[in-house]
Amino acid sequence: TPGTQYGVLIKCDASIKAIIVRIDADQNDIIVDDLDDEHLLIKEAKLAELKQRLSETLKATLREPESSNSE
Amino acid sequence: VMDQIRLWEYEGERIEATHGHLMKDFSSEKEYLDVLHYAESLGVLTWKSDQKRVFFVDRIEQISAYLKSKKEKK
């Protein structure tokens, strides 16, 4: 019978997926399966950490720092 | 149960997160299509890739029961 794998399917645009792949490259413990250019299967236990690191990365990359002092 | 899909939004970027199971390692094209169509009929199919013969469902209970019943018939 076929195999089943529990996880969280992430659907996002390719640029976000590239960021997630880079975040995963640190310890390779977030992504379970790279499905296609807009879908990834990730470990449920790592979802909270991914969300946090992704929001930090996006905040840093997308918004030019107006003031020189960082928070 | 629609709360399976949680949407986050960061800086205008939309990301969908769906908890569920990836189905893979089908023994044949026939088995893949058979279980895939069953998942579609239940409305639990979230994503699929025909070339990879892999698909994702947000509920697994009925599919597991279906697979068990097919195995017993052999």
Side-chain angles (χ1 to χ4, degrees), chain A residues 29-45:
Chain A
D29 59 356
I30 295 177
I31 297 176
V32 175
D33 222 332
D34 187 331
L35 299 173
D36 66 20
D37 49 16
E38 283 188 346
H39 293 84
L40 283 169
L41 185 70
I42 66 161
K43 285 185 191 143
E44 187 187 43

PDB file of all heavy atoms in Angstrom, chain A residues 29-45:
ATOM      1  N   ASP A  29      16.471  20.894   8.891  1.00  0.00           N
ATOM      2  CA  ASP A  29      15.525  20.101   9.708  1.00  0.00           C
ATOM      3  C   ASP A  29      14.110  20.646   9.592  1.00  0.00           C
ATOM      4  O   ASP A  29      13.256  20.300  10.379  1.00  0.00           O
ATOM      5  CB  ASP A  29      15.982  20.107  11.171  1.00  0.00           C
ATOM      6  CG  ASP A  29      16.048  21.536  11.702  1.00  0.00           C
ATOM      7  OD1 ASP A  29      15.805  22.472  10.889  1.00  0.00           O
ATOM      8  OD2 ASP A  29      16.334  21.713  12.876  1.00  0.00           O
ATOM      9  N   ILE A  30      13.884  21.523   8.610  1.00  0.00           N
ATOM     10  CA  ILE A  30      12.519  22.084   8.464  1.00  0.00           C
ATOM     11  C   ILE A  30      11.794  21.427   7.281  1.00  0.00           C
ATOM     12  O   ILE A  30      10.675  20.937   7.417  1.00  0.00           O
ATOM     13  CB  ILE A  30      12.601  23.609   8.260  1.00  0.00           C
ATOM     14  CG1 ILE A  30      13.164  24.274   9.519  1.00  0.00           C
ATOM     15  CG2 ILE A  30      11.238  24.175   7.896  1.00  0.00           C
ATOM     16  CD1 ILE A  30      13.365  25.771   9.407  1.00  0.00           C
ATOM     17  N   ILE A  31      12.457  21.385   6.110  1.00  0.00           N
ATOM     18  CA  ILE A  31      11.786  20.871   4.897  1.00  0.00           C
ATOM     19  C   ILE A  31      11.853  19.342   4.874  1.00  0.00           C
ATOM     20  O   ILE A  31      12.928  18.759   5.005  1.00  0.00           O
ATOM     21  CB  ILE A  31      12.435  21.458   3.632  1.00  0.00           C
ATOM     22  CG1 ILE A  31      12.251  22.971   3.597  1.00  0.00           C
ATOM     23  CG2 ILE A  31      11.840  20.820   2.374  1.00  0.00           C
ATOM     24  CD1 ILE A  31      12.942  23.654   2.447  1.00  0.00           C
ATOM     25  N   VAL A  32      10.659  18.716   4.707  1.00  0.00           N
ATOM     26  CA  VAL A  32      10.615  17.254   4.584  1.00  0.00           C
ATOM     27  C   VAL A  32      10.723  16.880   3.108  1.00  0.00           C
ATOM     28  O   VAL A  32      11.426  15.962   2.719  1.00  0.00           O
ATOM     29  CB  VAL A  32       9.271  16.726   5.151  1.00  0.00           C
ATOM     30  CG1 VAL A  32       9.139  15.222   4.932  1.00  0.00           C
ATOM     31  CG2 VAL A  32       9.165  17.063   6.626  1.00  0.00           C
ATOM     32  N   ASP A  33      10.002  17.644   2.232  1.00  0.00           N
ATOM     33  CA  ASP A  33       9.954  17.290   0.812  1.00  0.00           C
ATOM     34  C   ASP A  33       9.756  18.564  -0.015  1.00  0.00           C
ATOM     35  O   ASP A  33       8.886  19.365   0.289  1.00  0.00           O
ATOM     36  CB  ASP A  33       8.735  16.359   0.587  1.00  0.00           C
ATOM     37  CG  ASP A  33       9.100  15.223  -0.344  1.00  0.00           C
ATOM     38  OD1 ASP A  33      10.006  15.431  -1.184  1.00  0.00           O
ATOM     39  OD2 ASP A  33       8.483  14.143  -0.237  1.00  0.00           O
ATOM     40  N   ASP A  34      10.587  18.686  -1.079  1.00  0.00           N
ATOM     41  CA  ASP A  34      10.465  19.843  -1.969  1.00  0.00           C
ATOM     42  C   ASP A  34       9.543  19.392  -3.113  1.00  0.00           C
ATOM     43  O   ASP A  34       9.947  18.579  -3.945  1.00  0.00           O
ATOM     44  CB  ASP A  34      11.871  20.192  -2.485  1.00  0.00           C
ATOM     45  CG  ASP A  34      11.842  21.481  -3.282  1.00  0.00           C
ATOM     46  OD1 ASP A  34      10.785  21.778  -3.885  1.00  0.00           O
ATOM     47  OD2 ASP A  34      12.865  22.180  -3.302  1.00  0.00           O
ATOM     48  N   LEU A  35       8.306  19.851  -3.167  1.00  0.00           N
ATOM     49  CA  LEU A  35       7.307  19.252  -4.054  1.00  0.00           C
ATOM     50  C   LEU A  35       7.295  19.881  -5.434  1.00  0.00           C
ATOM     51  O   LEU A  35       7.420  19.229  -6.436  1.00  0.00           O
ATOM     52  CB  LEU A  35       5.930  19.361  -3.391  1.00  0.00           C
ATOM     53  CG  LEU A  35       5.850  18.629  -2.038  1.00  0.00           C
ATOM     54  CD1 LEU A  35       4.531  18.910  -1.360  1.00  0.00           C
ATOM     55  CD2 LEU A  35       6.044  17.122  -2.230  1.00  0.00           C
ATOM     56  N   ASP A  36       7.156  21.226  -5.517  1.00  0.00           N
ATOM     57  CA  ASP A  36       7.282  21.907  -6.824  1.00  0.00           C
ATOM     58  C   ASP A  36       7.615  23.364  -6.538  1.00  0.00           C
ATOM     59  O   ASP A  36       7.894  23.714  -5.380  1.00  0.00           O
ATOM     60  CB  ASP A  36       6.020  21.736  -7.681  1.00  0.00           C
ATOM     61  CG  ASP A  36       4.800  22.442  -7.080  1.00  0.00           C
ATOM     62  OD1 ASP A  36       4.999  23.360  -6.235  1.00  0.00           O
ATOM     63  OD2 ASP A  36       3.674  22.074  -7.418  1.00  0.00           O
ATOM     64  N   ASP A  37       7.583  24.221  -7.602  1.00  0.00           N
ATOM     65  CA  ASP A  37       8.137  25.555  -7.355  1.00  0.00           C
ATOM     66  C   ASP A  37       7.277  26.412  -6.435  1.00  0.00           C
ATOM     67  O   ASP A  37       7.686  27.480  -6.015  1.00  0.00           O
ATOM     68  CB  ASP A  37       8.481  26.274  -8.672  1.00  0.00           C
ATOM     69  CG  ASP A  37       7.331  26.209  -9.632  1.00  0.00           C
ATOM     70  OD1 ASP A  37       6.216  25.900  -9.143  1.00  0.00           O
ATOM     71  OD2 ASP A  37       7.518  26.421 -10.822  1.00  0.00           O
ATOM     72  N   GLU A  38       6.075  25.924  -6.048  1.00  0.00           N
ATOM     73  CA  GLU A  38       5.272  26.728  -5.117  1.00  0.00           C
ATOM     74  C   GLU A  38       4.795  25.926  -3.912  1.00  0.00           C
ATOM     75  O   GLU A  38       3.978  26.398  -3.142  1.00  0.00           O
ATOM     76  CB  GLU A  38       4.053  27.292  -5.858  1.00  0.00           C
ATOM     77  CG  GLU A  38       4.414  28.477  -6.757  1.00  0.00           C
ATOM     78  CD  GLU A  38       3.167  29.127  -7.331  1.00  0.00           C
ATOM     79  OE1 GLU A  38       2.080  28.513  -7.257  1.00  0.00           O
ATOM     80  OE2 GLU A  38       3.293  30.242  -7.839  1.00  0.00           O
ATOM     81  N   HIS A  39       5.291  24.684  -3.791  1.00  0.00           N
ATOM     82  CA  HIS A  39       4.826  23.839  -2.674  1.00  0.00           C
ATOM     83  C   HIS A  39       5.989  23.131  -1.979  1.00  0.00           C
ATOM     84  O   HIS A  39       6.904  22.648  -2.627  1.00  0.00           O
ATOM     85  CB  HIS A  39       3.849  22.769  -3.199  1.00  0.00           C
ATOM     86  CG  HIS A  39       2.569  23.323  -3.710  1.00  0.00           C
ATOM     87  ND1 HIS A  39       2.432  23.805  -4.997  1.00  0.00           N
ATOM     88  CD2 HIS A  39       1.368  23.501  -3.111  1.00  0.00           C
ATOM     89  CE1 HIS A  39       1.193  24.238  -5.172  1.00  0.00           C
ATOM     90  NE2 HIS A  39       0.528  24.075  -4.042  1.00  0.00           N
ATOM     91  N   LEU A  40       5.872  23.071  -0.648  1.00  0.00           N
ATOM     92  CA  LEU A  40       6.881  22.382   0.172  1.00  0.00           C
ATOM     93  C   LEU A  40       6.154  21.625   1.265  1.00  0.00           C
ATOM     94  O   LEU A  40       5.124  22.094   1.746  1.00  0.00           O
ATOM     95  CB  LEU A  40       7.739  23.417   0.893  1.00  0.00           C
ATOM     96  CG  LEU A  40       8.830  24.178   0.195  1.00  0.00           C
ATOM     97  CD1 LEU A  40       9.308  25.304   1.109  1.00  0.00           C
ATOM     98  CD2 LEU A  40       9.996  23.270  -0.123  1.00  0.00           C
ATOM     99  N   LEU A  41       6.709  20.495   1.670  1.00  0.00           N
ATOM    100  CA  LEU A  41       6.164  19.814   2.854  1.00  0.00           C
ATOM    101  C   LEU A  41       7.147  20.049   3.985  1.00  0.00           C
ATOM    102  O   LEU A  41       8.351  19.807   3.833  1.00  0.00           O
ATOM    103  CB  LEU A  41       6.040  18.308   2.599  1.00  0.00           C
ATOM    104  CG  LEU A  41       5.365  17.522   3.735  1.00  0.00           C
ATOM    105  CD1 LEU A  41       3.879  17.857   3.822  1.00  0.00           C
ATOM    106  CD2 LEU A  41       5.546  16.024   3.555  1.00  0.00           C
ATOM    107  N   ILE A  42       6.619  20.596   5.119  1.00  0.00           N
ATOM    108  CA  ILE A  42       7.552  20.855   6.224  1.00  0.00           C
ATOM    109  C   ILE A  42       7.090  20.123   7.479  1.00  0.00           C
ATOM    110  O   ILE A  42       5.938  19.717   7.593  1.00  0.00           O
ATOM    111  CB  ILE A  42       7.696  22.368   6.516  1.00  0.00           C
ATOM    112  CG1 ILE A  42       6.397  22.952   7.049  1.00  0.00           C
ATOM    113  CG2 ILE A  42       8.180  23.126   5.303  1.00  0.00           C
ATOM    114  CD1 ILE A  42       6.622  24.261   7.767  1.00  0.00           C
ATOM    115  N   LYS A  43       8.024  19.979   8.423  1.00  0.00           N
ATOM    116  CA  LYS A  43       7.695  19.293   9.690  1.00  0.00           C
ATOM    117  C   LYS A  43       6.783  20.189  10.519  1.00  0.00           C
ATOM    118  O   LYS A  43       7.083  21.365  10.731  1.00  0.00           O
ATOM    119  CB  LYS A  43       8.977  19.058  10.484  1.00  0.00           C
ATOM    120  CG  LYS A  43       9.829  17.934   9.941  1.00  0.00           C
ATOM    121  CD  LYS A  43      11.023  17.675  10.866  1.00  0.00           C
ATOM    122  CE  LYS A  43      12.021  16.754  10.188  1.00  0.00           C
ATOM    123  NZ  LYS A  43      13.411  17.128  10.500  1.00  0.00           N
ATOM    124  N   GLU A  44       5.710  19.615  11.044  1.00  0.00           N
ATOM    125  CA  GLU A  44       4.773  20.429  11.820  1.00  0.00           C
ATOM    126  C   GLU A  44       5.475  21.040  13.040  1.00  0.00           C
ATOM    127  O   GLU A  44       5.264  22.186  13.396  1.00  0.00           O
ATOM    128  CB  GLU A  44       3.598  19.554  12.287  1.00  0.00           C
ATOM    129  CG  GLU A  44       2.520  20.384  12.958  1.00  0.00           C
ATOM    130  CD  GLU A  44       1.429  19.528  13.572  1.00  0.00           C
ATOM    131  OE1 GLU A  44       1.772  18.505  14.201  1.00  0.00           O
ATOM    132  OE2 GLU A  44       0.263  19.876  13.408  1.00  0.00           O
ATOM    133  N   ALA A  45       6.407  20.242  13.626  1.00  0.00           N
ATOM    134  CA  ALA A  45       7.084  20.732  14.837  1.00  0.00           C
ATOM    135  C   ALA A  45       7.911  21.984  14.526  1.00  0.00           C
ATOM    136  O   ALA A  45       8.223  22.765  15.411  1.00  0.00           O
ATOM    137  CB  ALA A  45       7.989  19.634  15.382  1.00  0.00           C
TER     138      ALA A  45
END
